[in-house]
Amino acid sequence: MKKFKYFLVNCALFLSIASVFGQEKEAVITLSFEKVDSVNVCKALVTSEGKPVQEVSVGLFVKRLYSNLAIGEPIATDSIGEASFEVPQDIPSPDGKLVFIAKIEDDENYMNTETKSEIKWGMIIASDNSNVGERSISGGRDKAPIYFIVASLLAIGIVWGTLFYAVFQIFRIRKLRTINKD
């Protein structure tokens, strides 16, 4: 009976691994960008072995600092293997450049595929550094707020004062002991 259970566990493990690696087809995604009636449009063309792929879910993302920002919901490709995304015009970027990522994820027939492309569609952020010399919470040493400096000096003073008081009391106890011996 033990051998039969061992055989069933191995079969289940083999089938799960085989289903993961069963995605034999590889897709290629090509991104193209165009402006249609003052609307930014990104088109993702999905092909496999030179032929367009139909009904594959493609997601479009913009690369951000810590993760990718999804642009809408994933869209299925049409009969010519194309998925069109309308891109918002108010995505901030320090230099105006945005990196777009098109992904096919968790498809039964095709491997997880992604492609990246860069275009200058971002909204440039103007940074105002006029208050650099002023005191602020993020300022260091001489630019720290006065109440932070006062609070930290007060905390340090209380800790050291407590230590000095404890040492003073120890010396008083010793002094009282020598007085009581006489």
Side-chain angles (χ1 to χ4, degrees), residues 4-171:
F4 183 70
K5 286 183 183 177
Y6 182 71
F7 176 74
L8 286 178
V9 169
N10 282 339
C11 285
L13 182 63
F14 175 74
L15 289 175
S16 65
I17 291 173
S19 67
V20 169
F21 292 108
Q23 302 172 337
E24 296 174 2
K25 298 179 185 177
E26 187 171 337
V28 176
I29 305 171
T30 307
L31 289 176
S32 63
F33 303 98
E34 59 185 42
K35 201 165 197 146
V36 178
D37 297 331
S38 74
V39 175
N40 297 334
V41 176
C42 177
K43 293 183 180 179
L45 177 66
V46 182
T47 57
S48 178
E49 299 170 357
K51 298 176 186 173
V53 178
Q54 300 175 6
E55 300 301 320
V56 172
S57 183
V58 179
L60 185 70
F61 303 89
V62 175
K63 184 166 178 55
R64 305 313 290 163
L65 187 59
Y66 295 110
S67 64
N68 296 329
L69 173 67
I71 304 295
E73 295 294 319
I75 298 175
T77 56
D78 56 9
S79 61
I80 58 171
E82 196 171 74
S84 293
F85 297 91
E86 199 173 297
V87 179
Q89 296 181 356
D90 60 348
I91 301 174
S93 173
D95 57 354
K97 294 180 183 176
L98 296 175
V99 177
F100 286 93
I101 303 168
K103 288 184 183 182
I104 297 174
E105 294 179 322
D106 301 329
D107 190 78
E108 295 175 0
N109 300 321
Y110 297 95
M111 291 186 197
N112 292 344
T113 306
E114 78 174 44
T115 187
K116 297 178 183 180
S117 187
E118 185 176 302
I119 191 166
K120 209 166 188 177
W121 275 357
M123 183 177 69
I124 297 175
I125 303 169
S127 60
D128 179 24
N129 293 333
S130 63
N131 62 348
V132 170
E134 297 177 10
R135 292 187 180 272
S136 67
I137 292 177
S138 61
R141 296 186 184 204
D142 60 331
K143 300 298 181 200
I146 297 294
Y147 51 88
F148 277 9
I149 296 170
V150 170
S152 62
L153 290 175
L154 186 64
I156 292 169
I158 290 172
V159 169
W160 278 106
T162 304
L163 291 173
F164 286 132
Y165 181 73
V167 171
F168 177 71
Q169 290 298 326
I170 290 172
F171 283 119

